[in-house]
Amino acid sequence: MTYTIALLPGDGIGPEITAVAEAAMARIAQHFKFDLEFESLAFGGASIDRYGEPLTQLTLKACQGADAVFLGAVGGPQWDNAPKRPEAGLLALRAALGVYANLRPVSVHEKLSHKSPLRAELVSGVDIMIVRELTGGLYFGKREVGEDYASDTCTYTRKEVERVARVAFDLARQRRGKLTSVDKANVLDSSRLWRKVVSEMGARDYPDVALDHMYIDAAAMHLLRRPSDFDVVVTENMFGDILSDEASMLAGSIGLLGSSSLGDHKPGLFEPIHGSAPDIAGQDLANPLGAVESAAQLLGLGLGEHDGAHVLRRAVDRMHACEDWTKDLGGSLSCSEAGRIMLEHIDAAFRAFEIEGYRRGFSPEVAEA
Ligand code: IPM
Ligand code: MG
């Protein structure tokens, strides 16, 4: 089996972390005997500098024709006043791929519970899946700019709410059966529609899922006060952008988290939730594990290579268990060193996976390697 992966390294630390993710995926492919063809494409600020556009037709076509798209990061201060911003390319790509559901899982490795700015006993055991609506709302509403005014509008249709809520309800069913829908229905009409549609679906199609509603301001507070009460969270584009950055602090570093953006068709778009970190770009300091987690999601959700995804996650666990950490986590590894060690952990995790497989043949009780 051969899969094509469109790689968009982008800006800032994007190329550094993408290189690690690419090598990790290639190693998994070797072990599981499938082929990955990577095609690296200009995107974001890097593409503006070369072609005057953050997303060229060539890059878009290549993404649309790929089995999955991997993105590093976009943006940087050098394009702040440019006529076109790198971020516009990302929004255009999300819209063109139709990836309306952005999955941002946040879990806390036990070795890392004391790395969070919150107390360890608050964050230990946290396991949240944020489902952010990604192709509507404030990011895509009608806009106007005048000399002395500017406006952005938040518009949602029933269909847009339904399709993302369905993804969230289905995930809740596979997880702990709980869904929190976050809105601002005490103020916004778009939120009142959101709440009505989600409530109707809950009552009609998902009576087995425990659904509750929370205002965005209260959700921001409860996420810090009692984070382990959350299972799946579904919310509007902008609210999800903000809540997911907040939630990343539970895990210890924003550099750890990955995301999947999915629509009704292939390809999905997989990217770490962090930005381009211009302050540390080019210094080999970035934490590549958010990119590696995104790569695991790409292998599993994007390609259906679930065993490969599993082994890659076990390799990340091994990095934490051995405290093979970059500076953001208090370690001393550079991004590229972490990448090299990652490959050794992948090999070890793959061997453990094979042994587990043999043992499963003899006994139902297989200790986690
Ligand atoms: C994210 C980022 C993007 C967003 C930016 C870079 C446009 O913050 O993926 O969370 O706001 O969606
Ligand atoms: Mg963001």
Side-chain angles (χ1 to χ4, degrees):
M1 188 73 190
T2 302
Y3 305 100
T4 16
I5 314 287
L7 283 183
L8 312 177
D11 309 318
I13 58 170
E16 303 163 43
I17 55 156
T18 300
V20 173
E22 178 182 356
M25 288 188 273
R27 190 68 144 236
I28 291 285
Q30 243 175 39
H31 283 306
F32 285 92
K33 303 198 176 7
F34 58 86
D35 288 312
L36 294 178
E37 261 169 26
F38 295 103
E39 187 179 6
S40 195
L41 299 150
F43 187 62
S47 176
I48 294 180
D49 290 349
R50 271 176 73 185
Y51 306 107
E53 296 279 341
L55 174 63
T56 62
Q57 278 305 311
L58 194 99
T59 292
L60 178 59
K61 287 268 162 331
C63 289
Q64 285 168 328
D67 292 301
V69 182
F70 182 93
L71 166 66
V74 288
Q78 61 269 53
W79 301 285
D80 274 354
N81 298 311
K84 283 184 185 152
R85 293 189 58 124
E87 290 82 354
L90 179 53
L91 300 199
L93 179 65
R94 288 170 178 172
L97 296 179
V99 287
Y100 56 81
N102 179 222
L103 278 45
R104 298 188 159 188
V106 182
S107 60
V108 181
H109 193 276
E110 55 179 61
K111 271 272 189 165
L112 291 172
S113 55
H114 62 288
K115 301 281 178 193
S116 168
L118 292 189
R119 289 195 307 278
E121 72 260 29
L122 269 178
V123 300
S124 108
V126 161
D127 182 7
I128 306 174
M129 174 66 83
I130 296 180
V131 181
R132 169 188 176 194
E133 201 291 325
L134 201 62
T135 54
L138 264 181
Y139 277 58
F140 289 92
K142 191 165 155 265
R143 349 178 118 191
E144 260 183 68
V145 188
E147 187 70 36
D148 293 317
Y149 79 99
S151 80
D152 302 279
T153 45
C154 184
T155 306
Y156 271 108
T157 62
R158 170 179 285 274
K159 188 181 146 229
E160 284 174 313
V161 180
E162 268 173 5
R163 62 187 187 179
V164 72
R166 192 161 301 287
V167 171
F169 273 117
D170 287 341
L171 281 166
R173 238 179 211 166
Q174 292 161 28
R175 293 168 47 101
R176 303 195 301 280
K178 197 172 161 194
L179 175 63
T180 304
S181 174
V182 173
D183 61 38
K184 189 71 186 176
N186 49 346
V187 177
L188 303 174
D189 282 319
S190 54
S191 279
R192 281 194 274 274
L193 174 78
W194 180 284
R195 190 175 283 221
K196 181 167 161 262
V197 171
V198 173
S199 301
E200 286 171 8
M201 286 175 74
R204 190 184 61 226
D205 301 334
Y206 298 90
D208 51 317
V209 172
L211 169 67
D212 67 345
H213 302 272
M214 220 179 256
Y215 297 137
I216 175 66
D217 47 352
M221 175 186 67
H222 288 304
L223 205 50
L224 303 185
R225 205 169 72 101
R226 46 180 183 88
S228 31
D229 283 1
F230 289 91
D231 181 6
V232 181
V233 173
V234 65
T235 190
E236 187 270 337
N237 202 342
M238 172 70 102
F239 296 157
D241 180 44
I242 300 168
L243 273 193
S244 56
D245 267 34
E246 186 191 358
S248 74
M249 283 297 100
L250 306 168
S253 165
I254 193 167
L256 292 170
L257 301 189
S259 82
S260 307
S261 303
L262 308 172
D264 292 326
H265 308 284
K266 264 190 167 182
L269 170 63
F270 301 85
E271 51 176 313
I273 82 156
H274 61 68
S276 59
D279 53 325
I280 57 163
Q283 298 172 50
D284 203 14
L285 285 176
N287 184 343
L289 294 186
V292 172
E293 164 59 24
S294 307
Q297 295 182 28
L298 184 155
L299 293 171
L301 294 172
L303 305 181
E305 294 288 346
H306 296 287
D307 287 344
H310 169 81
V311 166
L312 188 49
R313 287 211 173 86
R314 293 294 75 80
V316 171
D317 289 343
R318 296 177 68 96
M319 296 280 288
H320 294 318
C322 299
E323 303 189 5
D324 286 332
W325 287 330
T326 41
K327 292 223 166 62
D328 55 323
L329 294 173
S332 60
L333 296 181
S334 69
C335 178
S336 52
E337 282 165 351
R340 275 193 295 279
I341 291 175
M342 181 84 226
L343 298 182
E344 291 167 24
H345 285 305
I346 291 174
D347 295 347
F350 179 71
R351 283 193 297 275
F353 171 83
E354 284 191 312
I355 292 166
E356 241 173 70
Y358 286 126
R359 283 203 298 201
R360 199 170 286 129
F362 299 109
S363 146
E365 284 190 11
V366 181
E368 269 280 84

